Amino acid sequence: MTDDSQKVPLGEHIKGAGVLAGFVVWALTVGVAGLVILGFLLLILFIVGFVLYAAWQASATLGLILTLPVLYVVLVTATGQKF
């Protein structure tokens, strides 16, 4: 058996538990902050992707609107017939 002089005082145990609890709280806070930042980044990427998709669709529609009459004029000019 050990004598009382080799025992760690209770205050040291409490201080060590406090440091551990502080580290756990810090880690959870940093983790939650990281998830919030990641969520905002994903939201921004989603918005940018949606804007690019909408621009792509508008460009395709505009291209079709401009291309079809030109093709019609070329076809009428080439064949001499109106459709």
Side-chain angles (χ1 to χ4, degrees), residues 8-22:
V8 178
L10 182 59
E12 292 298 320
H13 284 294
I14 293 173
K15 193 186 308 182
V19 169
L20 181 62

Side-chain angles (χ1 to χ4, degrees), residues 38-79:
L38 182 65
F40 278 122
L41 287 175
L42 288 174
L43 180 65
I44 289 169
L45 283 175
F46 178 76
I47 291 170
V48 168
F50 179 76
V51 168
L52 288 175
Y53 177 77
W56 174 52
Q57 291 298 317
S59 172
T61 303
L62 186 62
L64 197 61
I65 289 171
L66 294 176
T67 302
L68 288 178
V70 170
L71 287 176
Y72 178 75
V73 169
V74 168
L75 183 65
V76 167
T77 304
T79 62

